[in-house]
Amino acid sequence: MNTMQYLPEATNDRVFALIGSPWGVLAVWLVILNVVTFLVFGLDKWKAKRKVRREQVRRVPEKTLFLLAALGGGLGALIGMRVWHHKTLHRSFRYGIPAILLVEAVGLLYLWWRFAA
């Protein structure tokens, strides 16, 4: 009996083996990024309230908030705006975040239509 046939093969697909497929990797990415984006919106709201009393508090730049949304965290940003009541008076956020979310949804639908079996 050859014992070599029972040894594991060397692969570099560990992430896919753990999650299952590229769709699983995408899903994990989107969940993590949306949770992080939601929490960053909450952190910035907390800092905004605190800055009234202390000037040295550094806020999260608006560019960072938009970047997190554009990288896939659009849903987390929109929910963060609603839950924390943050950036809801800024037109760029009021229209920009839903637009980013719409582009992300269309992109996901396209990927699913193009590559799903």
Short mmCIF file of all heavy atoms in Angstrom, two decimals, residues 40-96:
data_model
loop_
_atom_site.label_atom_id
_atom_site.label_comp_id
_atom_site.label_asym_id
_atom_site.label_seq_id
_atom_site.Cartn_x
_atom_site.Cartn_y
_atom_site.Cartn_z
N VAL A 40 -18.20 53.19 11.53
CA VAL A 40 -17.45 54.42 11.33
C VAL A 40 -18.39 55.63 11.29
O VAL A 40 -18.07 56.69 11.82
CB VAL A 40 -16.58 54.34 10.05
CG1 VAL A 40 -16.01 55.69 9.67
CG2 VAL A 40 -15.46 53.33 10.25
N PHE A 41 -19.58 55.46 10.68
CA PHE A 41 -20.56 56.53 10.72
C PHE A 41 -20.97 56.83 12.16
O PHE A 41 -21.12 57.99 12.54
CB PHE A 41 -21.79 56.18 9.87
CG PHE A 41 -21.71 56.68 8.47
CD1 PHE A 41 -20.94 56.04 7.52
CD2 PHE A 41 -22.42 57.80 8.08
CE1 PHE A 41 -20.87 56.50 6.23
CE2 PHE A 41 -22.36 58.28 6.79
CZ PHE A 41 -21.58 57.62 5.85
N GLY A 42 -21.15 55.80 12.96
CA GLY A 42 -21.49 56.00 14.37
C GLY A 42 -20.37 56.68 15.14
O GLY A 42 -20.61 57.56 15.97
N LEU A 43 -19.13 56.26 14.86
CA LEU A 43 -17.98 56.87 15.51
C LEU A 43 -17.88 58.35 15.16
O LEU A 43 -17.62 59.19 16.02
CB LEU A 43 -16.70 56.13 15.10
CG LEU A 43 -15.39 56.73 15.60
CD1 LEU A 43 -15.28 56.56 17.11
CD2 LEU A 43 -14.22 56.07 14.90
N ASP A 44 -18.09 58.67 13.89
CA ASP A 44 -18.01 60.07 13.48
C ASP A 44 -19.12 60.90 14.12
O ASP A 44 -18.91 62.05 14.49
CB ASP A 44 -18.04 60.20 11.96
CG ASP A 44 -17.68 61.60 11.50
OD1 ASP A 44 -16.68 62.15 12.00
OD2 ASP A 44 -18.41 62.14 10.65
N LYS A 45 -20.29 60.34 14.26
CA LYS A 45 -21.38 61.05 14.93
C LYS A 45 -21.03 61.30 16.40
O LYS A 45 -21.25 62.39 16.93
CB LYS A 45 -22.68 60.26 14.83
CG LYS A 45 -23.85 60.89 15.54
CD LYS A 45 -24.23 62.22 14.91
CE LYS A 45 -25.47 62.78 15.57
NZ LYS A 45 -26.00 63.94 14.88
N TRP A 46 -20.45 60.29 17.04
CA TRP A 46 -20.03 60.44 18.44
C TRP A 46 -18.97 61.53 18.56
O TRP A 46 -19.03 62.37 19.46
CB TRP A 46 -19.51 59.10 18.96
CG TRP A 46 -19.02 59.16 20.36
CD1 TRP A 46 -19.77 59.18 21.50
CD2 TRP A 46 -17.65 59.19 20.78
NE1 TRP A 46 -18.95 59.23 22.60
CE2 TRP A 46 -17.64 59.23 22.19
CE3 TRP A 46 -16.44 59.18 20.11
CZ2 TRP A 46 -16.47 59.27 22.92
CZ3 TRP A 46 -15.27 59.22 20.83
CH2 TRP A 46 -15.29 59.28 22.24
N LYS A 47 -18.01 61.53 17.62
CA LYS A 47 -16.98 62.55 17.64
C LYS A 47 -17.56 63.93 17.35
O LYS A 47 -17.09 64.93 17.89
CB LYS A 47 -15.89 62.22 16.62
CG LYS A 47 -14.99 61.09 17.06
CD LYS A 47 -13.90 60.86 16.04
CE LYS A 47 -12.90 59.85 16.55
NZ LYS A 47 -11.74 59.75 15.63
N ALA A 48 -18.57 64.01 16.50
CA ALA A 48 -19.19 65.30 16.19
C ALA A 48 -19.86 65.89 17.43
O ALA A 48 -19.76 67.09 17.68
CB ALA A 48 -20.23 65.13 15.08
N LYS A 49 -20.52 65.06 18.21
CA LYS A 49 -21.13 65.54 19.44
C LYS A 49 -20.07 65.96 20.46
O LYS A 49 -20.25 66.93 21.18
CB LYS A 49 -22.01 64.44 20.06
CG LYS A 49 -23.30 64.23 19.33
CD LYS A 49 -24.10 63.16 20.05
CE LYS A 49 -25.45 62.96 19.43
NZ LYS A 49 -26.21 61.92 20.12
N ARG A 50 -18.99 65.21 20.51
CA ARG A 50 -17.93 65.47 21.48
C ARG A 50 -17.12 66.71 21.11
O ARG A 50 -16.59 67.39 21.98
CB ARG A 50 -17.02 64.25 21.56
CG ARG A 50 -16.10 64.26 22.72
CD ARG A 50 -15.51 62.90 22.94
NE ARG A 50 -14.60 63.01 24.06
CZ ARG A 50 -13.44 62.41 24.12
NH1 ARG A 50 -13.06 61.63 23.14
NH2 ARG A 50 -12.67 62.56 25.16
N LYS A 51 -17.01 67.00 19.82
CA LYS A 51 -16.21 68.13 19.36
C LYS A 51 -16.78 69.47 19.83
O LYS A 51 -16.06 70.45 19.96
CB LYS A 51 -16.09 68.12 17.84
CG LYS A 51 -15.10 69.11 17.30
CD LYS A 51 -14.84 68.86 15.84
CE LYS A 51 -13.87 69.87 15.30
NZ LYS A 51 -12.50 69.49 15.43
N VAL A 52 -18.06 69.51 20.11
CA VAL A 52 -18.67 70.74 20.62
C VAL A 52 -18.00 71.16 21.92
O VAL A 52 -17.76 72.33 22.17
CB VAL A 52 -20.19 70.54 20.81
CG1 VAL A 52 -20.81 71.73 21.50
CG2 VAL A 52 -20.85 70.26 19.48
N ARG A 53 -17.65 70.17 22.72
CA ARG A 53 -17.03 70.45 24.02
C ARG A 53 -15.51 70.51 23.94
O ARG A 53 -14.87 71.19 24.70
CB ARG A 53 -17.45 69.39 25.03
CG ARG A 53 -18.90 69.54 25.45
CD ARG A 53 -19.31 68.46 26.40
NE ARG A 53 -20.05 67.48 25.62
CZ ARG A 53 -19.95 66.18 25.75
NH1 ARG A 53 -19.16 65.67 26.65
NH2 ARG A 53 -20.66 65.37 25.01
N ARG A 54 -14.91 69.73 23.04
CA ARG A 54 -13.45 69.65 22.95
C ARG A 54 -13.01 69.87 21.51
O ARG A 54 -13.42 69.14 20.62
CB ARG A 54 -12.97 68.27 23.39
CG ARG A 54 -13.24 67.98 24.83
CD ARG A 54 -12.47 66.76 25.24
NE ARG A 54 -12.57 66.61 26.68
CZ ARG A 54 -12.64 65.44 27.27
NH1 ARG A 54 -12.63 64.35 26.57
NH2 ARG A 54 -12.71 65.38 28.58
N GLU A 55 -12.14 70.80 21.31
CA GLU A 55 -11.70 71.15 19.97
C GLU A 55 -10.67 70.17 19.40
O GLU A 55 -10.51 70.09 18.20
CB GLU A 55 -11.12 72.57 19.94
CG GLU A 55 -12.17 73.63 20.04
CD GLU A 55 -13.15 73.60 18.88
OE1 GLU A 55 -12.72 73.41 17.73
OE2 GLU A 55 -14.35 73.74 19.14
N GLN A 56 -9.97 69.44 20.25
CA GLN A 56 -8.91 68.56 19.75
C GLN A 56 -9.43 67.24 19.19
O GLN A 56 -8.65 66.44 18.69
CB GLN A 56 -7.85 68.30 20.83
CG GLN A 56 -8.32 67.43 21.98
CD GLN A 56 -8.85 68.23 23.14
OE1 GLN A 56 -9.23 69.38 22.98
NE2 GLN A 56 -8.88 67.63 24.31
N VAL A 57 -10.71 66.98 19.24
CA VAL A 57 -11.28 65.75 18.70
C VAL A 57 -11.19 65.79 17.18
O VAL A 57 -11.63 66.76 16.55
CB VAL A 57 -12.74 65.58 19.16
CG1 VAL A 57 -13.37 64.39 18.48
CG2 VAL A 57 -12.80 65.44 20.66
N ARG A 58 -10.62 64.74 16.59
CA ARG A 58 -10.47 64.68 15.13
C ARG A 58 -11.59 63.85 14.54
O ARG A 58 -11.78 62.70 14.90
CB ARG A 58 -9.12 64.09 14.77
CG ARG A 58 -7.98 65.00 15.17
CD ARG A 58 -6.69 64.45 14.69
NE ARG A 58 -6.76 64.29 13.24
CZ ARG A 58 -5.81 64.66 12.41
NH1 ARG A 58 -4.73 65.20 12.88
NH2 ARG A 58 -5.94 64.47 11.13
N ARG A 59 -12.31 64.44 13.61
CA ARG A 59 -13.42 63.79 12.95
C ARG A 59 -12.92 62.89 11.82
O ARG A 59 -11.81 63.02 11.34
CB ARG A 59 -14.36 64.84 12.35
CG ARG A 59 -14.97 65.80 13.34
CD ARG A 59 -16.20 65.26 13.98
NE ARG A 59 -17.20 64.81 13.02
CZ ARG A 59 -18.08 65.59 12.39
NH1 ARG A 59 -18.09 66.87 12.65
NH2 ARG A 59 -18.94 65.08 11.55
N VAL A 60 -13.79 61.99 11.39
CA VAL A 60 -13.50 61.15 10.22
C VAL A 60 -13.75 62.00 8.98
O VAL A 60 -14.82 62.60 8.85
CB VAL A 60 -14.42 59.90 10.22
CG1 VAL A 60 -14.17 59.07 8.99
CG2 VAL A 60 -14.22 59.08 11.48
N PRO A 61 -12.77 62.09 8.07
CA PRO A 61 -12.97 62.91 6.88
C PRO A 61 -14.13 62.38 6.02
O PRO A 61 -14.37 61.17 5.94
CB PRO A 61 -11.64 62.79 6.13
CG PRO A 61 -10.66 62.34 7.14
CD PRO A 61 -11.42 61.53 8.15
N GLU A 62 -14.82 63.30 5.36
CA GLU A 62 -15.93 62.91 4.49
C GLU A 62 -15.45 62.03 3.34
O GLU A 62 -16.17 61.14 2.89
CB GLU A 62 -16.65 64.15 3.95
CG GLU A 62 -17.43 64.87 5.02
CD GLU A 62 -18.24 66.02 4.48
OE1 GLU A 62 -18.15 66.33 3.27
OE2 GLU A 62 -18.97 66.63 5.28
N LYS A 63 -14.22 62.27 2.88
CA LYS A 63 -13.64 61.42 1.82
C LYS A 63 -13.59 59.96 2.27
O LYS A 63 -13.85 59.06 1.49
CB LYS A 63 -12.23 61.88 1.46
CG LYS A 63 -12.15 63.15 0.70
CD LYS A 63 -10.69 63.45 0.40
CE LYS A 63 -10.50 64.84 -0.10
NZ LYS A 63 -9.09 65.14 -0.36
N THR A 64 -13.23 59.75 3.52
CA THR A 64 -13.14 58.39 4.06
C THR A 64 -14.52 57.74 4.11
O THR A 64 -14.67 56.57 3.76
CB THR A 64 -12.51 58.40 5.46
OG1 THR A 64 -11.23 59.03 5.39
CG2 THR A 64 -12.38 57.00 6.02
N LEU A 65 -15.52 58.50 4.52
CA LEU A 65 -16.87 57.96 4.57
C LEU A 65 -17.35 57.57 3.17
O LEU A 65 -17.94 56.50 2.97
CB LEU A 65 -17.82 58.98 5.21
CG LEU A 65 -17.52 59.35 6.67
CD1 LEU A 65 -18.44 60.46 7.13
CD2 LEU A 65 -17.64 58.14 7.57
N PHE A 66 -17.09 58.44 2.19
CA PHE A 66 -17.48 58.11 0.82
C PHE A 66 -16.67 56.94 0.26
O PHE A 66 -17.20 56.11 -0.47
CB PHE A 66 -17.32 59.33 -0.10
CG PHE A 66 -18.53 60.21 -0.14
CD1 PHE A 66 -18.48 61.50 0.33
CD2 PHE A 66 -19.73 59.74 -0.66
CE1 PHE A 66 -19.59 62.31 0.30
CE2 PHE A 66 -20.85 60.55 -0.70
CZ PHE A 66 -20.78 61.83 -0.22
N LEU A 67 -15.39 56.86 0.61
CA LEU A 67 -14.56 55.76 0.13
C LEU A 67 -15.06 54.43 0.67
O LEU A 67 -15.14 53.44 -0.07
CB LEU A 67 -13.10 55.99 0.53
CG LEU A 67 -12.12 54.90 0.10
CD1 LEU A 67 -12.04 54.81 -1.42
CD2 LEU A 67 -10.75 55.14 0.69
N LEU A 68 -15.38 54.38 1.94
CA LEU A 68 -15.92 53.15 2.52
C LEU A 68 -17.21 52.74 1.82
O LEU A 68 -17.43 51.56 1.53
CB LEU A 68 -16.16 53.33 4.02
CG LEU A 68 -14.93 53.35 4.90
CD1 LEU A 68 -15.30 53.79 6.32
CD2 LEU A 68 -14.25 52.00 4.92
N ALA A 69 -18.06 53.71 1.53
CA ALA A 69 -19.31 53.42 0.82
C ALA A 69 -19.02 52.92 -0.60
O ALA A 69 -19.63 51.96 -1.06
CB ALA A 69 -20.20 54.65 0.77
N ALA A 70 -18.06 53.54 -1.28
CA ALA A 70 -17.76 53.18 -2.66
C ALA A 70 -17.07 51.83 -2.78
O ALA A 70 -17.20 51.16 -3.81
CB ALA A 70 -16.88 54.26 -3.30
N LEU A 71 -16.38 51.40 -1.75
CA LEU A 71 -15.71 50.10 -1.79
C LEU A 71 -16.66 48.93 -1.54
O LEU A 71 -16.23 47.78 -1.57
CB LEU A 71 -14.56 50.06 -0.77
CG LEU A 71 -13.36 50.92 -1.10
CD1 LEU A 71 -12.36 50.90 0.05
CD2 LEU A 71 -12.70 50.45 -2.39
N GLY A 72 -17.92 49.23 -1.31
CA GLY A 72 -18.90 48.17 -1.09
C GLY A 72 -19.73 48.35 0.16
O GLY A 72 -20.58 47.54 0.45
N GLY A 73 -19.48 49.42 0.89
CA GLY A 73 -20.20 49.65 2.14
C GLY A 73 -21.37 50.60 2.00
O GLY A 73 -21.72 51.28 2.97
N GLY A 74 -21.98 50.68 0.85
CA GLY A 74 -23.08 51.61 0.63
C GLY A 74 -24.27 51.36 1.52
O GLY A 74 -24.88 52.30 2.04
N LEU A 75 -24.62 50.10 1.71
CA LEU A 75 -25.76 49.77 2.56
C LEU A 75 -25.46 50.13 4.02
O LEU A 75 -26.31 50.70 4.71
CB LEU A 75 -26.12 48.30 2.44
CG LEU A 75 -27.35 47.83 3.21
CD1 LEU A 75 -28.59 48.59 2.72
CD2 LEU A 75 -27.53 46.34 3.05
N GLY A 76 -24.27 49.83 4.48
CA GLY A 76 -23.88 50.20 5.84
C GLY A 76 -23.86 51.70 6.04
O GLY A 76 -24.24 52.19 7.10
N ALA A 77 -23.45 52.44 5.01
CA ALA A 77 -23.45 53.90 5.10
C ALA A 77 -24.87 54.44 5.18
O ALA A 77 -25.17 55.32 5.99
CB ALA A 77 -22.72 54.50 3.90
N LEU A 78 -25.76 53.90 4.35
CA LEU A 78 -27.14 54.38 4.35
C LEU A 78 -27.83 54.05 5.68
O LEU A 78 -28.50 54.90 6.26
CB LEU A 78 -27.91 53.75 3.19
CG LEU A 78 -29.30 54.31 2.94
CD1 LEU A 78 -29.22 55.78 2.58
CD2 LEU A 78 -29.99 53.53 1.84
N ILE A 79 -27.63 52.85 6.18
CA ILE A 79 -28.20 52.48 7.47
C ILE A 79 -27.58 53.32 8.58
O ILE A 79 -28.28 53.76 9.50
CB ILE A 79 -28.03 50.97 7.73
CG1 ILE A 79 -28.87 50.17 6.72
CG2 ILE A 79 -28.44 50.60 9.15
CD1 ILE A 79 -28.61 48.68 6.75
N GLY A 80 -26.27 53.56 8.51
CA GLY A 80 -25.60 54.40 9.50
C GLY A 80 -26.14 55.82 9.50
O GLY A 80 -26.31 56.43 10.56
N MET A 81 -26.42 56.35 8.32
CA MET A 81 -27.01 57.69 8.24
C MET A 81 -28.37 57.72 8.93
O MET A 81 -28.70 58.67 9.62
CB MET A 81 -27.16 58.11 6.78
CG MET A 81 -25.87 58.50 6.11
SD MET A 81 -26.08 58.84 4.35
CE MET A 81 -27.20 60.23 4.39
N ARG A 82 -29.16 56.68 8.72
CA ARG A 82 -30.50 56.65 9.30
C ARG A 82 -30.48 56.39 10.81
O ARG A 82 -31.17 57.06 11.56
CB ARG A 82 -31.35 55.57 8.62
CG ARG A 82 -31.52 55.72 7.14
CD ARG A 82 -32.40 56.90 6.78
NE ARG A 82 -32.61 56.94 5.35
CZ ARG A 82 -32.20 57.91 4.56
NH1 ARG A 82 -31.56 58.93 5.05
NH2 ARG A 82 -32.44 57.87 3.28
N VAL A 83 -29.68 55.43 11.22
CA VAL A 83 -29.65 55.06 12.65
C VAL A 83 -29.02 56.16 13.48
O VAL A 83 -29.54 56.54 14.53
CB VAL A 83 -28.90 53.73 12.85
CG1 VAL A 83 -28.60 53.47 14.31
CG2 VAL A 83 -29.71 52.59 12.26
N TRP A 84 -27.87 56.67 13.04
CA TRP A 84 -27.15 57.66 13.83
C TRP A 84 -27.62 59.09 13.53
O TRP A 84 -27.14 60.02 14.18
CB TRP A 84 -25.64 57.56 13.56
CG TRP A 84 -25.06 56.20 13.71
CD1 TRP A 84 -24.51 55.45 12.71
CD2 TRP A 84 -24.94 55.42 14.89
NE1 TRP A 84 -24.06 54.26 13.22
CE2 TRP A 84 -24.32 54.20 14.54
CE3 TRP A 84 -25.31 55.62 16.23
CZ2 TRP A 84 -24.05 53.21 15.47
CZ3 TRP A 84 -25.06 54.61 17.15
CH2 TRP A 84 -24.43 53.43 16.76
N HIS A 85 -28.49 59.27 12.55
CA HIS A 85 -28.94 60.60 12.13
C HIS A 85 -27.72 61.48 11.83
O HIS A 85 -27.59 62.60 12.31
CB HIS A 85 -29.81 61.27 13.19
CG HIS A 85 -31.00 60.46 13.55
ND1 HIS A 85 -32.07 60.29 12.70
CD2 HIS A 85 -31.28 59.73 14.66
CE1 HIS A 85 -32.95 59.51 13.26
NE2 HIS A 85 -32.51 59.15 14.45
N HIS A 86 -26.84 60.92 11.00
CA HIS A 86 -25.57 61.57 10.72
C HIS A 86 -25.43 61.86 9.24
O HIS A 86 -25.70 61.00 8.40
CB HIS A 86 -24.42 60.66 11.19
CG HIS A 86 -23.09 61.33 11.18
ND1 HIS A 86 -22.86 62.55 11.75
CD2 HIS A 86 -21.91 60.93 10.65
CE1 HIS A 86 -21.59 62.88 11.59
NE2 HIS A 86 -21.00 61.91 10.92
N LYS A 87 -25.03 63.07 8.91
CA LYS A 87 -24.82 63.54 7.54
C LYS A 87 -26.11 63.55 6.73
O LYS A 87 -26.07 63.54 5.51
CB LYS A 87 -23.77 62.67 6.82
CG LYS A 87 -22.42 62.63 7.47
CD LYS A 87 -21.71 63.95 7.34
CE LYS A 87 -20.29 63.84 7.85
NZ LYS A 87 -19.63 65.12 7.89
N THR A 88 -27.25 63.58 7.38
CA THR A 88 -28.52 63.54 6.66
C THR A 88 -28.88 64.90 6.07
O THR A 88 -29.72 64.97 5.17
CB THR A 88 -29.66 63.08 7.58
OG1 THR A 88 -29.69 63.92 8.74
CG2 THR A 88 -29.47 61.64 8.00
N LEU A 89 -28.28 65.98 6.53
CA LEU A 89 -28.56 67.31 5.98
C LEU A 89 -27.62 67.69 4.84
O LEU A 89 -27.87 68.66 4.14
CB LEU A 89 -28.50 68.37 7.09
CG LEU A 89 -29.52 68.19 8.22
CD1 LEU A 89 -29.34 69.27 9.27
CD2 LEU A 89 -30.93 68.22 7.66
N HIS A 90 -26.54 66.93 4.68
CA HIS A 90 -25.60 67.20 3.59
C HIS A 90 -26.15 66.62 2.29
O HIS A 90 -26.41 65.42 2.20
CB HIS A 90 -24.24 66.56 3.88
CG HIS A 90 -23.51 67.18 5.02
ND1 HIS A 90 -23.83 66.95 6.32
CD2 HIS A 90 -22.45 68.03 5.03
CE1 HIS A 90 -23.00 67.62 7.10
NE2 HIS A 90 -22.17 68.29 6.34
N ARG A 91 -26.31 67.47 1.28
CA ARG A 91 -26.84 66.98 0.00
C ARG A 91 -25.94 65.93 -0.63
O ARG A 91 -26.43 64.98 -1.23
CB ARG A 91 -26.99 68.13 -0.99
CG ARG A 91 -28.23 68.89 -0.80
CD ARG A 91 -28.43 69.82 -1.95
NE ARG A 91 -29.60 70.63 -1.63
CZ ARG A 91 -30.10 71.51 -2.42
NH1 ARG A 91 -29.55 71.73 -3.58
NH2 ARG A 91 -31.17 72.18 -2.06
N SER A 92 -24.64 66.11 -0.49
CA SER A 92 -23.72 65.15 -1.10
C SER A 92 -23.92 63.75 -0.51
O SER A 92 -23.81 62.75 -1.23
CB SER A 92 -22.27 65.60 -0.91
OG SER A 92 -21.95 65.72 0.46
N PHE A 93 -24.24 63.67 0.77
CA PHE A 93 -24.50 62.37 1.38
C PHE A 93 -25.93 61.91 1.13
O PHE A 93 -26.16 60.72 0.89
CB PHE A 93 -24.22 62.43 2.90
CG PHE A 93 -22.77 62.34 3.23
CD1 PHE A 93 -22.00 63.47 3.30
CD2 PHE A 93 -22.18 61.12 3.48
CE1 PHE A 93 -20.66 63.40 3.61
CE2 PHE A 93 -20.83 61.02 3.77
CZ PHE A 93 -20.07 62.18 3.84
N ARG A 94 -26.86 62.83 1.20
CA ARG A 94 -28.27 62.47 1.04
C ARG A 94 -28.55 61.88 -0.34
O ARG A 94 -29.40 61.00 -0.48
CB ARG A 94 -29.13 63.70 1.28
CG ARG A 94 -30.51 63.38 1.73
CD ARG A 94 -31.27 64.59 2.20
NE ARG A 94 -31.30 65.65 1.18
CZ ARG A 94 -31.30 66.94 1.46
NH1 ARG A 94 -31.27 67.35 2.70
NH2 ARG A 94 -31.33 67.82 0.49
N TYR A 95 -27.84 62.37 -1.37
CA TYR A 95 -28.03 61.84 -2.72
C TYR A 95 -26.88 60.93 -3.15
O TYR A 95 -27.08 60.02 -3.95
CB TYR A 95 -28.19 62.99 -3.72
CG TYR A 95 -29.41 63.82 -3.45
CD1 TYR A 95 -29.30 65.13 -3.02
CD2 TYR A 95 -30.68 63.28 -3.59
CE1 TYR A 95 -30.42 65.89 -2.75
CE2 TYR A 95 -31.81 64.03 -3.31
CZ TYR A 95 -31.68 65.34 -2.90
OH TYR A 95 -32.79 66.08 -2.62
N GLY A 96 -25.69 61.18 -2.64
CA GLY A 96 -24.52 60.41 -3.05
C GLY A 96 -24.52 58.98 -2.54
O GLY A 96 -24.22 58.04 -3.30
#
